[in-house]
Amino acid sequence: MLSRDLEDSPDVVGLICGTSLGLRHQTRDDIEEPFQQTGTLHLFAVAGLHVGIVARLLWTFAMVLRLPRKAATALIIPLLFFYAAITGLHTASVRAAVMSALLLGGIFFDRKVLALNSLAAAAFLILLFDSNQLFTSGFQLSFAVVGAIVLLADPMFVRFERMVAPDPFLPRLLLSRVRRICAAVGRGLARGASVSLAAWIGSLLLIYWYFYLVTPVSLFANLVVVPIAYFVLALAMLSLITAPISSGLSILFNNANWLMSRAVLGLVHFFAMLPGGHVYLPRFTERHAPITITVLDEGTGGAAHIRANNDDWLIDCGGQRSYEHTLKSFLHSRGINRVEGILLTHGDAQHIGGAADTVADFAPREIYDNPLDVRSAVQRRLSDTLQPHKIKPRHLIRGDSLLFGRNVHAEILYPAPNIKITAADDAPLIVQLVFDEEIRVLFESDAGAKAEAALLETGDNLQSDILIKGQHHSGGSGTPLFLEAVKPKLIIATSRESPVAEQITQEWANEIAQRGIKLFRQDQTGAVEVQFGDEEWTARAYLTGETFRSSSR
């Protein structure tokens, strides 16, 4: 019913259904993200705002029917719980329904109910049913925000009202109509600002802890967006109520809601783009070495983050499908809002499929690409994406060098400019990171036996402490001669059951063990983080927690 005549606007339908019914699964992640960044994601969680609007609509309906106050209350309370039930019985909606029931229940006894008492009663009833709710983010956010509003909003309102109120010694009759209107508008803004600031204070630490995010812009975004969202929900309820009576009237409300929803989406995107409006920060409990490499688990693809003295670099960006939940989530969890540069080793979709999204979200200052003429469809799409932004990747070849940070630089070992290949996997960028001229890390990407043989012929010093490698499509990589030249202490390698050629064989794993090399195969370890200290480095697997120290040998 809510989407009738709006089928060509999926974003609007997602917002309407998410706001009115809590159906967040109908909303794309890239639509929800600006709401998260502006502190307005609560619009998609049925809570006090939604239950309050429904209660107001029901009360207005009861007054139109001229029902007595107690009869209206007896009708509204079960309907509020029904609304909480059809929207999923989430903690926030149950809390709001219980609080509303208690507040309205005072009408039966002709006494006013304290908001803090009703909040405490709601918490008691929810925890009585499921005490584990105490440890969920939804419960904590819901009660922290409402508690802050109850405790702080009124004192803040008194202070804000003084700033916009006319001279208290001037009789109201002497005020002009314009002054009275301005005073009423100022009072409304003061009330909204006090509630918005109290809610922001109540959610600040929890939003930072769970989402690594601080959103100062939410103070203004909520002040503007929430009043419009009120009409979005009200129009959705009216559409549902009138649908059984008149489909034309229901469609009319839907089209009016289209306009309101477009306004909400436009404003939220505007606030999300404001500089400094939101900032991702690492948790204060997390401590990382000045130089850290994190090799993410991208299946048969690749993506690695390098932090070198507060400069953040990426080697490949993984696939597009996994970008939101892997690379993007990881970078935000580290408090990264912008990367210094991206190196794209070759045109495989599992290595650079997420590059366009990474460029849009993290605005790298430099992009480096493979120079060879073997161009994939994903490389062409990336090039088309970069052209409007006037970003031109710089091509790297053997002999080039990049400065990643103080005492950290990257040497490009492969490919040579005149090489002839038939597949992109035969000539990816092979990069050797050098720390303090002592520790070396070799990124082999998906290079195969031909590339390894070509490297050996150059006579370069390939010896490295750590080898980070993918699997060539033929399955031939990590040859004995190459391993003899590199002499790694640790190998971090991708491996997947399908395709079979890109799975590490037991024979190769046994050979690595016989050479005394530690192997982290990512189908078992997941992502791997390597932290470099003054005298040693430590590798840790995310899934198993296994660690390996350079001093172990």
Side-chain angles (χ1 to χ4, degrees):
M1 292 179 182
L2 294 177
S3 62
R4 281 192 298 187
D5 207 40
L6 304 178
E7 290 80 5
D8 59 342
S9 302
D11 295 347
V12 168
V13 172
L15 175 62
I16 294 173
C17 292
T19 302
S20 57
L21 301 176
L23 298 179
R24 290 181 58 181
H25 65 274
Q26 293 192 9
T27 310
R28 301 199 317 268
D29 289 340
D30 59 337
I31 297 299
E32 283 193 10
E33 186 180 29
F35 286 86
Q36 186 183 74
Q37 294 170 341
T38 56
T40 54
L41 189 60
H42 61 86
L43 296 178
F44 290 93
V46 175
L49 174 67
H50 306 70
V51 174
I53 293 173
V54 172
R56 182 181 289 272
L57 290 172
L58 291 173
W59 188 265
T60 302
F61 182 69
M63 293 301 99
V64 171
L65 296 179
R66 298 181 180 274
L67 294 178
R69 284 165 55 88
K70 293 185 178 180
T73 302
L75 173 67
I76 292 173
I77 289 177
L79 288 177
L80 292 181
F81 281 100
F82 175 72
Y83 176 64
I86 63 172
T87 55
L89 284 177
H90 299 294
T91 299
S93 62
V94 173
R95 186 263 309 153
V98 171
M99 286 188 66
S100 300
L102 292 173
L103 291 170
L104 290 170
I107 295 175
F108 289 114
F109 306 99
D110 297 318
R111 64 179 295 177
K112 184 178 180 180
V113 179
L114 298 177
L116 275 179
N117 282 1
S118 64
L119 180 64
F124 174 76
L125 291 175
I126 291 174
L127 293 177
L128 190 65
F129 178 75
D130 182 7
S131 59
N132 285 324
Q133 287 290 333
L134 180 63
F135 307 103
T136 64
S137 59
F139 180 93
Q140 294 168 9
L141 278 166
S142 179
F143 282 89
V145 168
V146 175
I149 291 174
V150 172
L151 293 173
L152 303 177
D154 285 341
M156 289 179 178
F157 171 65
V158 172
R159 292 179 177 272
F160 292 157
E161 188 184 26
R162 290 174 186 167
M163 299 167 61
V164 297
D167 188 343
F169 294 101
L170 187 65
R172 184 174 178 80
L173 292 176
L174 297 181
L175 295 176
S176 66
R177 177 176 295 180
V178 174
R179 291 283 301 276
R180 289 197 295 270
I181 292 174
C182 289
V185 172
R187 182 181 174 85
L189 290 174
R191 172 61 70 184
S194 63
V195 172
S196 181
L197 180 57
W200 183 73
I201 292 173
S203 65
L204 178 61
L205 290 178
L206 290 170
I207 293 293
Y208 162 66
W209 182 258
Y210 285 112
F211 304 107
Y212 313 95
L213 185 63
V214 176
T215 58
V217 75
S218 66
L219 295 172
F220 307 99
N222 278 290
L223 200 59
V224 176
V225 172
V226 168
I228 304 176
Y230 176 94
F231 290 102
V232 172
L233 180 54
L235 288 168
M237 294 297 104
L238 290 172
S239 175
L240 291 176
I241 292 171
T242 57
I245 303 171
S246 170
S247 61
L249 189 57
S250 175
I251 290 175
L252 180 63
F253 285 128
N254 285 349
N255 281 276
N257 220 354
W258 178 92
L259 181 63
M260 293 294 175
S261 299
R262 278 295 176 196
V264 169
L265 290 170
L267 286 168
V268 167
H269 279 83
F270 168 75
F271 284 116
M273 291 188 296
L274 290 179
H278 66 276
V279 181
Y280 288 92
L281 298 172
R283 284 181 182 167
F284 61 87
T285 57
E286 296 179 355
R287 295 290 183 268
H288 298 279
I291 300 176
T292 305
I293 296 176
T294 305
V295 185
L296 300 178
D297 181 16
E298 287 285 348
T300 58
H305 167 251
I306 301 161
R307 170 162 286 179
N309 304 303
N310 297 321
D311 287 334
D312 296 290
W313 292 77
L314 294 174
I315 296 181
D316 288 332
C317 303
Q320 186 177 26
R321 291 183 179 180
S322 62
Y323 168 74
E324 290 282 340
H325 301 290
T326 305
L327 180 60
K328 185 176 182 178
S329 297
F330 168 77
L331 294 178
H332 282 166
S333 72
R334 291 298 177 88
I336 297 171
N337 298 278
R338 185 171 187 175
V339 298
E340 191 70 22
I342 300 175
L343 275 71
L344 305 175
T345 61
H346 64 298
D348 181 73
Q350 298 304 313
H351 287 74
I352 69 170
D357 292 329
T358 306
V359 171
D361 292 332
F362 296 96
R365 291 181 173 86
E366 296 288 348
I367 301 175
Y368 301 93
D369 199 2
N370 193 308
L372 300 182
D373 292 334
V374 178
R375 293 298 178 189
S376 65
V378 67
Q379 279 181 309
R380 289 193 295 271
R381 287 196 298 270
L382 175 61
S383 179
D384 294 340
T385 302
L386 296 179
Q387 282 181 358
H389 302 285
K390 297 181 179 180
I391 300 175
K392 188 175 182 179
R394 173 186 162 188
H395 291 158
L396 297 176
I397 58 174
R398 169 179 163 76
D400 287 336
S401 179
L402 300 174
L403 185 65
F404 271 32
R406 183 171 53 87
N407 300 328
V408 180
H409 67 275
E411 300 290 343
I412 307 302
L413 305 181
Y414 192 77
N418 56 354
I419 189 173
K420 296 185 180 298
I421 61 171
T422 56
D425 277 6
D426 292 333
L429 289 179
I430 297 181
V431 184
Q432 188 178 57
L433 292 186
V434 183
F435 306 107
D436 295 321
E437 301 300 331
E438 295 180 359
I439 302 174
R440 297 173 184 267
V441 179
L442 186 63
F443 286 84
E444 190 185 0
S445 190
D446 285 357
K450 291 183 179 179
E452 292 177 353
L455 272 180
L456 293 173
E457 290 177 1
T458 64
D460 289 340
N461 179 16
L462 301 179
Q463 186 169 343
S464 302
D465 298 84
I466 303 172
L467 172 62
I468 300 172
K469 67 183 296 297
Q471 307 297 331
H472 191 265
H473 64 83
S474 67
S477 61
T479 61
L481 290 177
F482 184 72
L483 294 176
E484 185 63 33
V486 177
K487 294 183 172 60
K489 298 178 182 178
L490 170 68
I491 295 178
I492 303 171
T494 64
S495 178
R496 278 296 181 271
E497 292 184 1
S498 178
V500 176
E502 298 194 24
Q503 181 182 15
I504 290 177
T505 64
Q506 191 59 47
E507 292 77 11
W508 189 81
N510 292 337
E511 180 183 351
I512 296 301
Q514 289 173 3
R515 291 176 178 270
I517 302 172
K518 178 63 179 178
L519 173 63
F520 277 179
R521 45 185 298 172
Q522 291 194 277
D523 55 345
Q524 299 174 358
T525 65
V528 178
E529 179 184 78
V530 187
Q531 296 192 13
F532 297 86
D534 294 332
E535 298 181 357
E536 66 173 17
W537 49 264
T538 302
R540 178 178 64 88
Y542 271 67
L543 285 182
T544 63
E546 182 183 5
T547 60
F548 176 79
R549 292 180 174 84
S550 58
S551 58
S552 298
R553 293 196 53 186

